[in-house]
Structure formats: structure tokens, C-alpha cells
Amino acid sequence: MGKRDRAQEPQSWGPRNSQGPTPPPDAWPTPPQWPPPSGYQQVGTTPKPKKRRRIFLWLFLAVQILFLIWVITGAASGSDTEGCRGLTGDDLELCEDAGDIGTTIGVGLVIGLWAAVDIILGFTYLIYRLASRRA
């Protein structure tokens, strides 16, 4: 009969104490301490808050200020009645009304352009945020 033919004795599934009793955890050697790889933070430390750059906010506010200045100067320039000089009566009134209507149309076009630019900026920001979010 060979070694294979002999039946093996059942093994116990408990811990093996072939070297004697296990030392208490205080007596265990401390594991070596390596610096963590870059990109990882150690347990118990708080990461430095990353300063958020609000470039889009400042760009948006600059566009708003430019359009506001454009609307104010456009509305203020409508009171210029140099072209109506020398007219009297109904002709003067018609000339001033035509100037006011032109100013209104111009300011309305600027406000319409302002709204279109804001919508384009809003969609651009939305696409940027969706593209840069973490999965």
C-alpha cells in the first residue's frame, strides 16, 4: 500500500498553535509606515478645501454690466432732438415721437440680444457642468 491509499485523518478547523500560544496584540511588531501614494489621503486627516474659481460667474456679471450700460446709454441718447431743430407745431411733435419710437426699438433690440446672450451663456454653463461632473 502506498501513501495515497491510506486514509487521511480529519483536520480540525480551529487555529493551529504549533508554535505555542499567540502573543497579545500589544506585543505584535508594528508594521512599517510608508508614505501613501499621491492622490490618497491618510485616514483621520481632512483634505485642504480646494479653492473654487468662479471664472464663469465673473464673466457672466461682466456681460450683464456691459448690457446694462448699453441699455442706459441707448435710452439716454433718445432724448437728443438736434434733428428736429427749426420745426414747429405738429412737425416738431411728429419728429420727437419718431425719435422716441426709434429709441424704443433700439433699446428693445438690445434687450432681446441681452436675453439671447444670457440663454447661450446658461446653456454653455450647463454643458460645462455636465461634462466636468464626476461619475
Side-chain angles (χ1 to χ4, degrees):
M1 266 175 108
K3 287 184 174 180
R4 291 188 203 183
D5 296 336
R6 283 190 250 166
Q8 290 183 345
E9 293 181 22
Q11 296 179 355
S12 65
W13 293 98
R16 294 185 179 183
N17 290 332
S18 60
Q19 297 177 352
T22 306
D26 297 338
W28 291 351
T30 58
Q33 297 293 322
W34 291 291
S38 64
Y40 291 95
Q41 71 179 46
Q42 293 181 351
V43 176
T45 61
T46 57
K48 288 184 177 180
K50 195 174 178 183
K51 184 178 179 183
R52 293 186 62 183
R53 298 176 185 207
R54 299 187 183 267
I55 295 172
F56 184 81
L57 174 68
W58 292 109
L59 175 73
F60 183 78
L61 289 175
V63 168
Q64 302 309 306
I65 290 172
L66 288 174
F67 271 106
L68 186 64
I69 291 170
W70 194 7
V71 167
I72 290 172
T73 56
S77 69
S79 62
D80 186 20
T81 57
E82 288 181 21
C84 300
R85 204 175 284 162
L87 298 175
T88 58
D90 289 338
D91 291 336
L92 177 62
E93 187 177 336
L94 183 64
C95 181
E96 289 175 349
D97 289 343
D100 292 342
I101 291 172
T103 301
T104 304
I105 292 172
V107 170
L109 288 173
V110 170
I111 291 173
L113 181 65
W114 187 356
V117 168
D118 281 350
I119 289 171
I120 292 169
L121 284 175
F123 278 125
T124 304
Y125 182 69
L126 179 68
I127 291 170
Y128 167 74
R129 292 290 293 187
L130 289 175
S132 66
R133 73 176 179 170
R134 293 181 183 175

